[in-house]
Amino acid sequence: MLSRDSISQTGQFFNRILPKYSRIPLLFTVVLNFSVYWGARAIAGGFIHHNIETSLDDMIPVVYPTVVIYFGCYIFWIIGYLYNAAMDKRHCYRFLMADWLAKAVCFICYVVYPTTNTRPEIVGSDIWAQLMRFLYSMDAADNLFPSIHCLVSWLCYIGIRGNKKVPQWIRTTFCICAIAVFISTLTTKQHVIYDVVAGVALMEVTYRVSKLIVKKAVKKGKSNTEEA
């Protein structure tokens, strides 16, 4: 039976990694992600899909083992989002708002200009080939431009990129993880180069926009408090 001290310590630990101010926004983030992904597919599933592959994409080999990185990125995202959200309330809101703005743009792109790509025939029967077949069976070749995998991974990194309070090894690790995800999206033929570039560029823009929005909101809140 747990003692009161143990329960208290557990509660304190939970509050540190998932502060109260972050819980509803994080839940909304998850709901929004699935709504954008499946909603766009439901709307644009029957539309003409454009293939924006380049000759450079054709030169990139299929590397079956990188499917582990593609699937494993969900662990990276959970850690990245919790880490950024737990910093402080203002950073949490800026971080998540950048995600929301980017997902809104993604939804518009997926519906207005749906894209697809050419997937290779998977050969072999080893574990890597089986994982690739599983990936292709569960994830249709749509909702590609911009890449949500890439923009979310990049957000995890840029959220701590310039924060000197975060140890350098953590910032470096997050950067390496994000780049590894980029590579995996190309070597599993889940995305093309334009998808990756667009995902990173979109997140850089929305992160800056969210900073301005949060800054303006904070300034307005202080002004209202002083007037009151």
Side-chain angles (χ1 to χ4, degrees), residues 18-32 81 85 89 92-93 96-97 99-100:
L18 192 62
K20 291 182 179 179
Y21 63 75
S22 71
R23 295 172 190 174
I24 293 179
L26 282 170
L27 178 60
F28 175 77
T29 301
V30 175
V31 173
L32 178 64
Y81 273 59
K89 183 184 292 187
C92 174
Y93 292 163
L96 295 180
M97 185 174 293
D99 177 285
W100 303 341

Side-chain angles (χ1 to χ4, degrees), residues 164-175:
K164 302 300 182 180
K165 294 181 180 180
V166 177
Q168 182 62 53
W169 72 268
I170 294 181
R171 284 182 279 158
T172 301
T173 300
F174 273 36
C175 183

Side-chain angles (χ1 to χ4, degrees), residues 3 6 15-17 33 35 38 40 42 47 69 74 98 108 120-121 123 143 168 170 172 178 182 186 218 224:
S3 65
S6 297
N15 285 330
R16 282 199 300 271
I17 64 172
N33 184 75
S35 298
W38 295 108
F47 293 2
I69 299 175
Y74 290 96
I108 294 172
E121 179 183 356
V123 297
N143 292 344
Q168 182 62 53
I170 294 181
T172 301
F182 300 167
L186 298 174
V218 170
N224 291 339

Side-chain angles (χ1 to χ4, degrees), residues 56-83:
L56 186 56
D57 287 297
D58 294 334
M59 296 171 61
I60 298 174
V62 183
V63 184
Y64 292 0
T66 56
V67 70
V68 174
I69 299 175
Y70 192 85
F71 281 131
C73 67
Y74 290 96
I75 298 174
F76 171 47
W77 295 347
I78 291 172
I79 295 173
Y81 273 59
L82 290 178
Y83 192 95

